[in-house]
Amino acid sequence: MKRLSTMMLATIMTLGAMAQTTANDVLSVARKANDYFMAKYADPTLPTNVKKVRPSNLWTRAVYYEGLMALQQIDPQQRYIDYAMTWADFHKWSPRNGMNTCDADDQCCGQTYIELLPYSNKDKEEQIRNIRENLDYQMHTANKKNQSLYGWWTWIDAIQMAMPLYVQMYKETGYKKYLDHGMKMYRWSRNECGGGLFNVKDGLWWRDADYVPPYKEPDGKDCYWSRGNGWVYAALVRCMNLLPEKSKEYKELKKDFLLMSEGLRKCQREDGFWNPSLVSTNYEMPETSGTALFLYGMAWGIQKGYLKAKVYSSVCDKAWTAMVRDAVHQDGFLGWMQGTGKDPSAGQPLSYTKVPDFEDYGTGCFLLGATEYFKLLQKNNVK
């Protein structure tokens, strides 16, 4: 009798695990990952100190809170709200680096500030004043200095960091100028920056103008960074969740969401992960943050009826099973997590045990994926 290959064994194990996964199982793992983070970083006001000291409302921590607020939706706990509220109050509900920043990374924290409004008994207009003032400043600056690109989204990460915030502000205030500006910035990144960062043919994004053709990976393939594409994919979902489905903006984002979904589906690894470089053999290995963000979007798309369950459910099942099997440690630490950077080479080499330079955003990505997958299983009555 021939010995089964490693790949065949992994497939058999994956199929067995998928058949047994329930919504409660997913919630248990999500809690474990979050409890690990909250215990390790018990004081949310303390600054980070990776090569230099940074305030804890920087983008890496802000993405964590996106995940925490998503977890709160399926697992309401006052301790989650207290943790996030302490953080927001400490930073005076303000962007990192003050009201005159035009850096999308500095604005990311505003998304959680706005999500916290229903839990606060303070004046809402006062609490969003600083974020609103900052967005007004960026809108004025970007329009005034169009040619210099100051304040424009020249890297696709910015779409996740700031675009949902503009849509939130539109929904909160009713002023369409915020939605219009967010869409203007998105379209510029998509269609004009570097000749257009979205490759409609592949349904995938180049990270910035440095990676558009003729740039190639060593094997001659395009460089589509996994987490960068995850940022855009998640942003599309977060924005569509806030917009009327019949609006032109919703339809525009939905079209790109569907193109990305198909492009991403095609490059999933056999083991359920996605590579740091999506279509290249360069740095061919599991990567958790991108995988979690793709799970987030696809699980959402199935629930909305935009993605065919018979095609995408197995993609989601494989992604979740892979992360639980190969990335989640017993104490909740997440392995195979790429550190900060801008391309597949960042933080290499990755491994099951390596601690990335920042743990926060990876946990946030994981919680986003876990919570949406929980909803999908719950909707399908897989309790």
Side-chain angles (χ1 to χ4, degrees):
M1 182 177 179
K2 290 185 178 180
R3 187 176 181 179
L4 291 175
S5 69
T6 302
M7 186 63 72
M8 290 178 66
L9 285 170
T11 301
I12 292 171
M13 290 173 63
T14 297
L15 291 173
M18 288 190 298
Q20 299 168 13
T21 301
T22 67
N24 288 334
D25 292 334
V26 174
L27 179 57
S28 177
V29 176
R31 283 174 176 161
K32 179 166 67 172
N34 186 63
D35 286 347
Y36 165 85
F37 183 87
M38 286 182 64
K40 186 170 182 177
Y41 303 94
D43 185 348
T45 70
L46 292 180
T48 62
N49 189 4
V50 180
K51 295 183 180 178
K52 69 176 184 178
V53 175
R54 299 174 178 87
S56 66
N57 61 344
L58 79 166
W59 73 266
T60 65
R61 190 61 54 88
V63 172
Y64 161 74
Y65 283 104
E66 292 176 26
L68 181 64
M69 296 305 291
L71 180 61
Q72 171 68 15
Q73 293 177 10
I74 65 168
D75 185 34
Q77 294 196 36
Q78 188 59 43
R79 67 190 181 104
Y80 299 160
I81 298 303
D82 291 344
Y83 189 69
M85 198 69 77
T86 298
W87 172 77
D89 286 340
F90 177 79
H91 293 293
K92 297 181 170 53
W93 298 62
S94 299
R96 182 191 174 209
N97 290 326
M99 262 64 81
N100 290 344
T101 180
C102 283
D103 189 337
D105 291 350
D106 292 340
Q107 298 168 327
C108 188
C109 54
Q111 295 184 48
T112 298
Y113 297 161
I114 290 182
E115 287 192 76
L116 283 171
L117 290 176
Y119 301 97
S120 174
N121 56 11
K122 298 177 183 177
D123 182 73
K124 292 185 179 181
E125 289 190 13
E126 178 62 25
Q127 287 188 294
I128 66 171
R129 181 177 62 82
N130 291 339
I131 289 295
R132 185 174 177 182
E133 179 182 323
N134 172 243
L135 296 188
D136 287 342
Y137 176 82
Q138 183 185 16
M139 289 165 58
H140 172 75
T141 303
N143 291 331
K144 182 180 178 182
K145 300 181 179 179
N146 187 7
Q147 299 305 313
S148 71
L149 302 183
Y150 182 57
W152 287 70
W153 298 342
T154 58
W155 71 113
I156 61 174
D157 315 37
I159 295 171
Q160 197 281 337
M161 301 300 156
M163 187 176 171
L165 179 58
Y166 273 97
V167 181
Q168 286 175 310
M169 191 61 72
Y170 158 65
K171 191 173 178 67
E172 194 64 36
T173 65
Y175 289 112
K176 197 167 183 290
K177 65 178 183 178
Y178 295 110
L179 174 60
D180 290 343
H181 186 76
M183 292 301 298
K184 176 181 178 179
M185 301 279 275
Y186 174 75
R187 292 171 188 138
W188 182 83
S189 299
R190 181 190 191 277
N191 304 324
E192 298 182 45
C193 180
L197 298 179
F198 186 43
N199 186 344
V200 176
K201 179 177 175 291
D202 290 344
L204 302 173
W205 293 70
W206 293 292
R207 197 268 181 177
D208 57 51
D210 291 338
Y211 296 92
V212 301
Y215 183 93
K216 297 291 183 183
E217 291 276 41
D219 61 1
K221 301 288 183 65
D222 279 324
C223 181
Y224 297 124
W225 182 37
S226 179
R227 189 165 65 239
N229 278 265
W231 289 141
V232 179
Y233 201 51
L236 296 178
V237 171
R238 290 175 68 76
C239 290
M240 285 190 286
N241 271 333
L242 298 166
L243 293 170
E245 293 187 11
K246 294 184 179 180
S247 68
K248 65 177 184 180
E249 294 85 3
Y250 189 101
K251 293 176 181 178
E252 182 178 344
L253 299 180
K254 178 185 172 184
K255 184 177 179 180
D256 286 351
F257 172 81
L258 293 176
L259 288 172
M260 286 195 72
S261 297
E262 182 63 10
L264 292 168
R265 182 187 68 81
K266 290 178 179 178
C267 52
Q268 186 182 31
R269 292 160 50 98
E270 284 295 323
D271 63 5
F273 282 99
W274 278 263
N275 285 324
S277 189
L278 291 174
V279 300
S280 173
T281 56
N282 195 30
Y283 300 111
E284 193 171 24
M285 66 184 71
E287 202 288 303
T288 303
S289 63
T291 298
L293 292 171
F294 302 147
L295 173 61
Y296 171 66
M298 290 181 186
W300 179 86
I302 295 170
Q303 292 174 77
K304 296 292 289 186
Y306 300 153
L307 303 179
K308 293 181 180 179
K310 65 180 181 181
V311 175
Y312 284 89
S313 289
S314 62
V315 179
C316 292
D317 293 341
K318 286 173 63 178
W320 176 255
T321 301
M323 289 191 293
V324 173
R325 183 190 63 227
D326 296 333
V328 182
H329 288 231
Q330 197 62 39
D331 63 357
F333 169 74
L334 302 172
W336 293 108
M337 190 72 71
Q338 190 178 16
T340 55
K342 63 177 184 176
D343 63 26
S345 70
Q348 293 289 351
L350 312 185
S351 75
Y352 173 69
T353 57
K354 182 176 181 178
V355 180
D357 52 357
F358 290 86
E359 291 187 78
D360 39 16
Y361 65 85
T363 304
C365 294
F366 184 79
L367 293 177
L368 287 173
T371 53
E372 211 57 47
Y373 187 57
F374 169 90
K375 293 175 188 176
L376 177 62
L377 293 181
Q378 191 176 58
K379 184 175 182 179
N380 292 336
N381 293 315
V382 186
K383 299 179 180 179

